[in-house]
mmCIF file of all heavy atoms in Angstrom:
data_model
loop_
_atom_site.group_PDB
_atom_site.id
_atom_site.type_symbol
_atom_site.label_atom_id
_atom_site.label_comp_id
_atom_site.label_asym_id
_atom_site.label_seq_id
_atom_site.Cartn_x
_atom_site.Cartn_y
_atom_site.Cartn_z
ATOM 1 N N ARG A 69 -10.971 0.689 -17.878
ATOM 2 C CA ARG A 69 -9.849 0.261 -17.035
ATOM 3 C C ARG A 69 -8.516 0.807 -17.542
ATOM 4 O O ARG A 69 -7.522 0.098 -17.683
ATOM 5 C CB ARG A 69 -9.766 -1.269 -16.928
ATOM 6 C CG ARG A 69 -11.090 -1.973 -16.751
ATOM 7 C CD ARG A 69 -11.967 -1.366 -15.697
ATOM 8 N NE ARG A 69 -11.451 -1.513 -14.347
ATOM 9 C CZ ARG A 69 -11.897 -0.825 -13.299
ATOM 10 N NH1 ARG A 69 -12.845 0.076 -13.455
ATOM 11 N NH2 ARG A 69 -11.393 -1.033 -12.108
ATOM 12 N N LEU A 70 -8.473 2.104 -17.855
ATOM 13 C CA LEU A 70 -7.244 2.749 -18.278
ATOM 14 C C LEU A 70 -6.264 2.803 -17.115
ATOM 15 O O LEU A 70 -6.653 2.964 -15.948
ATOM 16 C CB LEU A 70 -7.536 4.165 -18.784
ATOM 17 C CG LEU A 70 -8.529 4.269 -19.950
ATOM 18 C CD1 LEU A 70 -8.790 5.735 -20.291
ATOM 19 C CD2 LEU A 70 -8.013 3.511 -21.161
ATOM 20 N N ASP A 71 -4.991 2.656 -17.409
ATOM 21 C CA ASP A 71 -3.970 2.697 -16.368
ATOM 22 C C ASP A 71 -3.912 4.080 -15.728
ATOM 23 O O ASP A 71 -3.917 5.104 -16.423
ATOM 24 C CB ASP A 71 -2.598 2.349 -16.947
ATOM 25 C CG ASP A 71 -2.487 0.880 -17.310
ATOM 26 O OD1 ASP A 71 -3.233 0.076 -16.708
ATOM 27 O OD2 ASP A 71 -1.678 0.538 -18.185
ATOM 28 N N ILE A 72 -3.857 4.101 -14.415
ATOM 29 C CA ILE A 72 -3.727 5.351 -13.668
ATOM 30 C C ILE A 72 -2.239 5.619 -13.464
ATOM 31 O O ILE A 72 -1.513 4.762 -12.950
ATOM 32 C CB ILE A 72 -4.439 5.255 -12.308
ATOM 33 C CG1 ILE A 72 -5.911 4.878 -12.502
ATOM 34 C CG2 ILE A 72 -4.304 6.555 -11.545
ATOM 35 C CD1 ILE A 72 -6.723 5.882 -13.276
ATOM 36 N N PRO A 73 -1.751 6.803 -13.852
ATOM 37 C CA PRO A 73 -0.310 7.083 -13.750
ATOM 38 C C PRO A 73 0.137 7.322 -12.316
ATOM 39 O O PRO A 73 0.256 8.453 -11.857
ATOM 40 C CB PRO A 73 -0.157 8.355 -14.604
ATOM 41 C CG PRO A 73 -1.483 9.029 -14.517
ATOM 42 C CD PRO A 73 -2.497 7.922 -14.443
ATOM 43 N N VAL A 74 0.377 6.250 -11.600
ATOM 44 C CA VAL A 74 0.862 6.361 -10.227
ATOM 45 C C VAL A 74 1.588 5.067 -9.873
ATOM 46 O O VAL A 74 1.181 3.974 -10.265
ATOM 47 C CB VAL A 74 -0.305 6.610 -9.238
ATOM 48 C CG1 VAL A 74 -1.302 5.471 -9.284
ATOM 49 C CG2 VAL A 74 0.219 6.796 -7.821
ATOM 50 N N ASN A 75 2.707 5.213 -9.173
ATOM 51 C CA ASN A 75 3.399 4.062 -8.608
ATOM 52 C C ASN A 75 3.345 4.206 -7.089
ATOM 53 O O ASN A 75 4.184 4.877 -6.497
ATOM 54 C CB ASN A 75 4.850 3.989 -9.087
ATOM 55 C CG ASN A 75 5.533 2.724 -8.569
ATOM 56 O OD1 ASN A 75 5.053 2.060 -7.662
ATOM 57 N ND2 ASN A 75 6.674 2.399 -9.168
ATOM 58 N N PRO A 76 2.340 3.633 -6.438
ATOM 59 C CA PRO A 76 2.151 3.876 -5.006
ATOM 60 C C PRO A 76 3.300 3.388 -4.159
ATOM 61 O O PRO A 76 3.570 3.952 -3.101
ATOM 62 C CB PRO A 76 0.858 3.121 -4.696
ATOM 63 C CG PRO A 76 0.714 2.105 -5.779
ATOM 64 C CD PRO A 76 1.327 2.718 -6.987
ATOM 65 N N TYR A 77 4.031 2.359 -4.601
ATOM 66 C CA TYR A 77 5.131 1.848 -3.781
ATOM 67 C C TYR A 77 6.265 2.860 -3.676
ATOM 68 O O TYR A 77 6.980 2.918 -2.682
ATOM 69 C CB TYR A 77 5.654 0.532 -4.361
ATOM 70 C CG TYR A 77 4.766 -0.637 -4.044
ATOM 71 C CD1 TYR A 77 3.800 -1.060 -4.945
ATOM 72 C CD2 TYR A 77 4.880 -1.311 -2.832
ATOM 73 C CE1 TYR A 77 2.981 -2.128 -4.657
ATOM 74 C CE2 TYR A 77 4.063 -2.381 -2.536
ATOM 75 C CZ TYR A 77 3.112 -2.789 -3.453
ATOM 76 O OH TYR A 77 2.287 -3.845 -3.159
ATOM 77 N N ASP A 78 6.454 3.656 -4.748
ATOM 78 C CA ASP A 78 7.497 4.672 -4.710
ATOM 79 C C ASP A 78 7.019 5.960 -4.067
ATOM 80 O O ASP A 78 7.780 6.662 -3.410
ATOM 81 C CB ASP A 78 7.973 4.983 -6.139
ATOM 82 C CG ASP A 78 8.750 3.827 -6.732
ATOM 83 O OD1 ASP A 78 9.240 2.996 -5.953
ATOM 84 O OD2 ASP A 78 8.846 3.756 -7.972
ATOM 85 N N ALA A 79 5.742 6.283 -4.250
ATOM 86 C CA ALA A 79 5.265 7.606 -3.882
ATOM 87 C C ALA A 79 4.543 7.661 -2.547
ATOM 88 O O ALA A 79 4.502 8.709 -1.906
ATOM 89 C CB ALA A 79 4.329 8.132 -4.975
ATOM 90 N N PHE A 80 3.967 6.554 -2.131
ATOM 91 C CA PHE A 80 3.054 6.622 -0.989
ATOM 92 C C PHE A 80 3.607 5.868 0.199
ATOM 93 O O PHE A 80 4.047 4.727 0.085
ATOM 94 C CB PHE A 80 1.688 6.045 -1.374
ATOM 95 C CG PHE A 80 0.585 6.477 -0.457
ATOM 96 C CD1 PHE A 80 -0.128 7.626 -0.703
ATOM 97 C CD2 PHE A 80 0.257 5.733 0.667
ATOM 98 C CE1 PHE A 80 -1.149 8.033 0.135
ATOM 99 C CE2 PHE A 80 -0.755 6.128 1.512
ATOM 100 C CZ PHE A 80 -1.461 7.283 1.238
ATOM 101 N N LYS A 81 3.549 6.508 1.347
ATOM 102 C CA LYS A 81 3.968 5.866 2.586
ATOM 103 C C LYS A 81 2.856 5.999 3.610
ATOM 104 O O LYS A 81 2.370 7.093 3.874
ATOM 105 C CB LYS A 81 5.243 6.512 3.143
ATOM 106 C CG LYS A 81 6.433 6.462 2.180
ATOM 107 C CD LYS A 81 6.905 5.048 1.939
ATOM 108 C CE LYS A 81 8.092 5.021 0.994
ATOM 109 N NZ LYS A 81 8.504 3.646 0.670
#
Side-chain angles (χ1 to χ4, degrees):
R69 318 313 292 165
L70 302 176
D71 289 335
I72 304 297
V74 60
N75 184 345
Y77 283 95
D78 290 340
F80 199 89
K81 301 294 181 184

